[in-house]
Amino acid sequence: MTDTLRTPAQPGLDADRLVEAYRTMRTIRAFEERVHEEFATGEIPGFVHLYAGEEASATGVCLHLEDRDSIASTHRGHGHCIAKGVDPKAMMAEIYGRRTGSCHGKGGSMHIADLSKGMLGANGIVGGGPPLICGTALAAKQLHTGGVGVAFFGDGASNQGTTCEALNLASVWNLPAIFVAENNGYAEATASTWSVSADNIADRAAGFGMPGVIVDGFDFFAVYEAAGEAIRRAREGGGPTLIEVKFTRYFGHFEGDQQTYRADEVANARDKLDCLKRFRARVTGTGQLLTSTLDSIDAQVADLVDAAAAEAKAAPKPGREDLETDVYVSY
Ligand SMILES: Cc1ncc(C[n+]2csc(CCOP(=O)(O)OP(=O)(O)O)c2C)c(N)n1
């Protein structure tokens, strides 16, 4: 049980839910910082794109979701996976390319998936997620499951034809779909202020006949509220929403990126805007949670991430005998 000191400021956010939200954000942050360190040792194969700084988005959205709801992710998918309930130990093993990984070590960082959790997969194809979500949202509508589909995608992906087609189709078919544009300011090294035709990605929603909302991505509570309203409307048959979440990513585009395209914005974001610091200040300031509760979550998460890294490194790699397994999946 959680220490409850005051009544919740937002519906649905009692002390247990606040603890869940904080644990999820802290797990993503600690996981990402650990992967950053592990990658520097040279032992992790392939490309890694880190999500640190963006935790409030995945967490604020996915806290509203159940296993019947599906999400599609991006190449920056670790945060979405953790928030949707994928096991961090299986994720770390996957990133290490080990047989105990969530995709038996054959996917790596950019292809972590767990269909049992409604996590359709991280995706190396920029703009690949939104059309997938039209598919799952259509299935949920036809089968009357009450489920929704959420597509997370970046500012770069917002300019892809696939994303525009998905927004149009979701609107035409009135699908229970939510499109979450995670605008961290850059697509690789290209500034969104240069590449996005509108002042805001959310401004494009009107052209597709759906509500568009802009949210401060450093503020978990703002994301939670906007996502809650969109998901509620989608479940009730009210159709899709485009939510633009604005923030800064803390690490480079990929691990190894020299980041010559940006200056001191990361230090400022980490210091003054950080979603975990803001969450802590708010829930302790309003007396909803105790500092000691949050500190003990930090310690538990640190242990979990230590164990995940140690177990991943000790796990076997896939062998020749695994070459022809998992080629086809039925679901
Ligand atoms: C269809 C496609 N085009 C180009 C690429 C190369 N690429 C990989 S990540 C990336 C930038 C994506 O930026 P954004 O969508 O803003 O996501 P962010 O990295 O900022 O989270 C590009 C162009 C790709 N993987 N797929």
Side-chain angles (χ1 to χ4, degrees):
M1 257 310 277
T2 307
D3 315 286
T4 312
L5 302 181
R6 296 244 180 96
T7 47
Q10 269 173 308
L13 280 178
D14 61 13
D16 285 340
R17 295 288 275 171
L18 289 174
V19 161
E20 195 184 341
Y22 183 76
R23 186 186 298 281
T24 302
M25 290 201 290
R26 175 57 72 197
T27 305
I28 298 171
R29 177 68 54 86
F31 189 91
E32 295 291 73
E33 284 177 344
R34 187 57 180 260
V35 173
H36 177 70
E37 286 166 23
E38 299 289 331
F39 191 86
T41 68
E43 282 187 66
I44 291 178
F47 273 100
V48 167
H49 308 78
L50 296 179
Y51 191 72
E54 308 187 11
E55 293 85 352
S57 176
T59 307
V61 173
C62 291
L63 205 59
H64 294 282
L65 302 180
E66 304 159 20
D67 287 353
R68 66 178 167 161
D69 303 315
S70 46
I71 67 166
S73 179
T74 67
H75 52 285
R76 202 176 299 290
H78 305 162
H80 305 134
C81 290
I82 290 171
K84 195 67 172 66
V86 183
D87 174 16
K89 287 186 174 177
M91 288 175 56
M92 190 67 89
E94 187 58 40
I95 291 167
Y96 262 92
R98 304 302 162 128
R99 194 189 267 163
T100 51
S102 46
C103 301
H104 306 147
K106 298 176 183 180
S109 164
M110 264 195 285
H111 301 99
I112 295 175
D114 185 346
L115 298 185
S116 72
K117 297 285 178 193
M119 168 58 200
L120 300 185
N123 197 331
I125 307 298
V126 171
L132 288 179
I133 281 308
C134 282
T136 60
L138 179 62
K141 184 175 174 174
Q142 297 294 94
L143 298 172
H144 302 286
T145 65
V148 302
V150 178
F152 292 96
F153 56 99
D155 42 283
S158 77
N159 300 324
Q160 289 281 33
T162 48
T163 303
C164 298
E165 290 173 43
L167 286 162
N168 185 61
L169 203 57
S171 187
V172 168
W173 286 350
N174 197 42
L175 296 179
I178 294 91
F179 298 92
V180 181
E182 297 188 320
N183 187 351
N184 57 27
Y186 298 92
E188 296 198 2
T190 303
S192 57
T193 48
W194 185 86
S195 65
V196 176
S197 57
D199 287 341
N200 304 290
I201 294 168
D203 294 344
R204 293 175 172 170
F208 293 103
M210 67 178 75
V213 189
I214 301 170
V215 181
D216 174 358
F218 292 108
D219 182 352
F220 161 82
F221 294 94
V223 178
Y224 180 83
E225 188 175 328
E229 193 183 326
I231 291 166
R232 201 162 35 251
R233 188 172 45 250
R235 286 200 204 285
E236 289 167 359
T241 301
L242 173 60
I243 300 174
E244 178 180 5
V245 187
K246 297 191 190 236
F247 39 34
T248 302
R249 65 168 147 73
Y250 286 179
F251 292 107
H253 169 68
F254 58 88
E255 287 307 275
D257 176 5
Q258 295 301 309
Q259 303 189 68
T260 49
Y261 52 89
R262 62 180 185 173
D264 52 3
E265 64 206 62
V266 175
N268 181 55
R270 275 186 183 267
D271 189 35
K272 303 211 167 60
L273 306 172
D274 184 67
C275 60
L276 281 153
K277 288 183 184 166
R278 265 170 89 167
F279 185 99
R280 269 183 163 260
R282 172 154 166 180
V283 296
T284 56
T286 55
Q288 289 172 283
L289 293 178
L290 298 170
T291 303
S292 57
T293 305
L294 301 172
D295 289 345
S296 90
I297 294 171
D298 290 356
Q300 290 161 13
V301 166
D303 288 347
L304 171 73
V305 171
D306 278 349
E311 286 175 28
K313 278 185 258 191
K317 293 180 178 168
R320 276 170 176 259
E321 65 279 19
D322 298 309
L323 261 180
E324 291 180 4
T325 60
D326 307 315
V327 177
Y328 297 103
V329 179
S330 47
Y331 55 92

